[in-house]
């Protein structure tokens, strides 16, 4: 296939509320430099496709309120490359919108779908796996997902079980295309340990590769109500009437993930296991695990004096001096008038904090 037939779809409409108060309704984490590397997460996502996807073939799906932020962070995008969702309906409608639109322009397109707020430490391995998946998707009617080789029994990720390699797959090393047996949502610790011991489970990264005709057929078969919505408006794509058509069509789509709508039902799903230093960077704990640490195992981002403190993560504005003393295993985060001080082992309560903060003033969320 030619490079002109390879497209990247970046999903950038979520809020990332588990990263509160840094990630907020008006400015989600994909538009922040979470790792302190001088680039926002959405900019890093685009960069990892350099050399394998032309800039004009990159499409971003986001909530309509974030269109200007996408333009600010990715000024090379044209108006037609930013798809504005009128409401959040989960990943299945989001992906359908992008794939049906791209198919209207290029019926031979192969698309990679990726979230805007994930971290990939080894971009070379990631790109090799993507190239392998794209080649398969162009030749075969397959729905491919990347599976991350697990290094711990994590209960925060979904898992994919695959069939063990046979002689048929040996030629595809180190990135074999393996049939998927089962999807499992976030398991308990005991089950996660069994998955790790079995050797045939990988983490579900939520990164998908397929030919646009393959995913359209899958929607028609497994989610016909979503297929019907976008088939009815596809003549409006790339025209002045697209926005109005999408505004009217979106409420007709039920809120459902691509995993539930398609991937767990289809019989042509394959996974490519890859070890590329992936993280969904969904929580403060995941940032703590990834970020550089000082001698006391603290992650410090900001102007901070830390005394008698270990294993903390402190992320505060550089123009504010923060002093901590006697803390162990804490999150200290301040952003735009909201200060969070919370034990790392209690970070699952952040959503509870957000709900309570909303009752006080919506500006806090």
């Amino acid at each position: 296939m030619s490079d002109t037939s390879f497209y990247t779809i970046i999903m950038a409409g979520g809020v990332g509320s588990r990263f509160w108060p840094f990630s907020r309704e008006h400015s989600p984490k994909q538009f922040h430099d979470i790792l302190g590397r001088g680039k926002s997460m959405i900019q890093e996502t685009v960069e990892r496709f350099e050399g394998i996807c032309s800039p004009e073939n990159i499409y971003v799906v986001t909530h309509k309120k974030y269109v200007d932020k996408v333009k600010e962070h990715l000024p090379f995008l044209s108006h037609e490359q930013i798809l504005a969702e009128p409401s959040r309906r989960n990943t299945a409608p989001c992906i359908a919108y992008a794939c049906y639109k791209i198919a209207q322009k290029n019926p031979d397109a192969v698309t990679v779908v990726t979230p805007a707020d994930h971290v990939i430490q080894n971009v070379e391995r990631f790109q090799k796996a993507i190239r392998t998946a794209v080649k398969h998707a162009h030749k075969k009617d397959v729905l491919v997902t990347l599976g991350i080789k697990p290094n711990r029994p994590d209960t925060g990720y979904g898992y994919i079980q695959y069939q063990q390699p046979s002689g048929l797959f040996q030629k595809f090393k180190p990135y074999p295309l393996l049939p998927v047996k089962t999807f499992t949502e976030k398991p308990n610790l005991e089950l996660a340990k069994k998955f790790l011991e079995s050797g045939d489970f990988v983490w579900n990264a939520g990164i998908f590769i397929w030919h646009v005709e393959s995913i359209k057929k899958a929607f028609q078969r497994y989610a016909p109500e979503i297929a019907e919505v976008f088939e009815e408006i596809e003549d409006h794509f790339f025209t002045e009437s697209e926005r109005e058509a999408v505004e009217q069509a979106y409420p007709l789509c039920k809120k459902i993930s691509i995993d539930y709508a398609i991937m767990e039902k289809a019989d042509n799903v394959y996974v490519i296991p890859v070890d590329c230093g992936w993280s969904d960077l969904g929580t403060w704990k995941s940032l703590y695990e990834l970020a550089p640490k000082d001698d006391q195992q603290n992650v410090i981002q900001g102007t901070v004096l830390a005394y008698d403190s270990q294993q903390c993560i402190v992320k505060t504005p550089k123009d504010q001096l923060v002093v901590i003393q006697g803390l162990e295993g804490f999150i200290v985060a301040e952003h735009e008038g909201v200060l969070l001080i919370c034990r790392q082992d209690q970070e699952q309560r952040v959503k509870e904090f957000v709900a309570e903060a909303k009752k006080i003033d919506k500006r806090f969320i």
Side-chain angles (χ1 to χ4, degrees):
M1 67 174 286
S2 67
D3 289 342
T4 57
S5 293
F6 173 40
Y7 291 75
T8 299
I9 298 166
I10 299 173
M11 299 182 291
V15 177
S17 60
R18 289 181 295 172
F19 244 114
W20 183 82
F22 207 72
S23 185
R24 307 271 273 277
E25 181 70 35
H26 68 279
S27 185
K29 65 174 178 174
Q30 57 266 29
F31 302 113
H32 289 279
D33 176 15
I34 297 287
L35 289 172
R37 300 201 283 215
K39 299 166 189 171
S40 65
M41 299 198 75
I42 194 170
Q43 288 170 335
E44 288 203 359
T45 300
V46 167
E47 279 194 0
R48 72 179 63 115
F49 286 93
E50 282 185 3
I52 62 173
C53 185
S54 302
E56 61 269 21
N57 284 4
I58 293 175
Y59 285 69
V60 175
V61 191
T62 191
H63 191 278
K64 62 182 179 181
K65 69 170 71 173
Y66 305 140
V67 168
D68 288 341
K69 279 198 170 291
V70 172
K71 289 179 179 177
E72 176 189 338
H73 287 250
L74 306 174
F76 69 89
L77 292 179
S78 67
H79 176 73
E80 68 180 27
Q81 289 171 270
I82 304 175
L83 284 61
E85 294 184 288
S87 58
R88 295 186 179 97
R89 313 300 289 174
N90 214 318
T91 54
C94 160
I95 289 169
Y97 178 16
C99 288
Y100 272 84
K101 178 170 180 172
I102 290 170
Q104 181 78 347
K105 183 174 187 176
N106 185 346
D108 196 36
V110 171
T111 64
V112 174
V113 180
T114 179
D117 55 359
H118 288 187
V119 173
I120 303 288
Q121 303 280 41
N122 193 320
V123 174
E124 183 180 357
R125 288 184 188 173
F126 172 78
Q127 288 191 347
K128 286 180 178 179
I130 292 293
R131 287 182 187 275
T132 301
V134 167
K135 288 178 183 177
H136 286 298
H138 185 68
K139 295 176 183 177
K140 305 168 188 152
D141 180 17
V142 291
L143 307 177
V144 185
T145 184
L146 291 193
I148 306 302
K149 294 180 180 178
N151 55 19
R152 61 185 184 277
D154 201 300
T155 59
Y157 298 141
Y159 285 73
I160 300 170
Q161 184 182 26
Y162 58 84
Q163 294 183 26
Q164 292 286 5
S166 64
L168 175 67
F169 296 111
Q170 296 307 309
K171 62 181 179 179
F172 297 131
K173 282 187 173 181
Y175 303 105
L177 187 73
L178 305 174
V180 169
K181 291 172 69 174
T182 59
F183 285 85
T184 303
E185 282 301 298
K186 301 171 183 177
N188 59 39
L189 184 59
E190 184 179 345
L191 193 55
K193 288 179 179 178
K194 290 181 179 178
F195 287 171
L196 207 65
E197 292 168 1
S198 73
D200 57 356
F201 282 83
V202 288
W203 289 333
N204 185 354
I207 300 172
F208 311 101
I209 305 94
W210 43 54
H211 195 288
V212 286
E213 289 305 314
S214 295
I215 191 61
K216 284 174 68 176
K217 282 198 293 185
F219 272 111
Q220 289 162 359
R221 181 175 179 183
Y222 302 108
E225 67 287 350
I226 294 178
E228 184 178 342
V229 166
F230 290 100
E231 285 168 2
E232 287 186 359
I233 66 169
E234 57 189 353
D235 289 342
H236 294 276
F237 296 146
F238 301 101
T239 72
E240 292 183 359
S241 61
E242 177 177 340
R243 181 174 178 177
E244 182 181 350
V246 171
E247 289 272 357
Q248 294 177 358
Y250 241 70
L252 303 176
C253 297
K254 67 179 179 179
K255 293 182 180 180
I256 187 170
S257 71
I258 194 70
D259 286 328
Y260 283 131
I262 303 291
M263 303 302 282
E264 295 183 11
K265 299 176 183 176
D267 55 8
N268 59 337
V269 178
Y270 292 78
V271 64
I272 293 180
V274 60
D275 183 4
C276 59
W278 170 90
S279 171
D280 71 350
L281 208 61
T283 63
W284 286 106
K285 179 184 176 184
S286 60
L287 175 57
Y288 176 82
E289 291 171 348
L290 276 176
K293 300 171 184 64
D294 64 16
D295 292 343
Q296 301 302 313
Q297 295 300 297
N298 295 312
V299 173
I300 304 291
Q301 294 184 11
T303 306
V304 179
L305 295 176
Y307 300 94
D308 311 316
S309 298
Q310 301 85 34
Q311 299 174 345
C312 293
I313 178 166
V314 185
K315 187 173 180 66
T316 54
K318 290 183 179 179
D319 61 355
Q320 295 179 5
L321 173 62
V322 175
V323 181
I324 64 171
Q325 188 277 327
L327 298 183
E328 182 173 350
F330 269 80
I331 301 163
V332 180
E334 196 278 333
H335 187 67
E336 295 186 350
V338 178
L339 171 65
L340 170 70
I341 303 174
C342 172
R343 293 196 62 85
Q344 282 195 54
D345 59 12
Q346 294 294 309
E347 71 163 358
Q348 71 274 10
R349 297 186 63 188
V350 168
K351 285 197 173 185
E352 174 189 334
F353 304 155
V354 172
E356 291 296 317
K358 186 176 182 180
K359 295 176 183 177
I360 299 171
D361 193 323
K362 289 185 178 179
R363 291 178 302 166
F364 294 150
I365 63 161

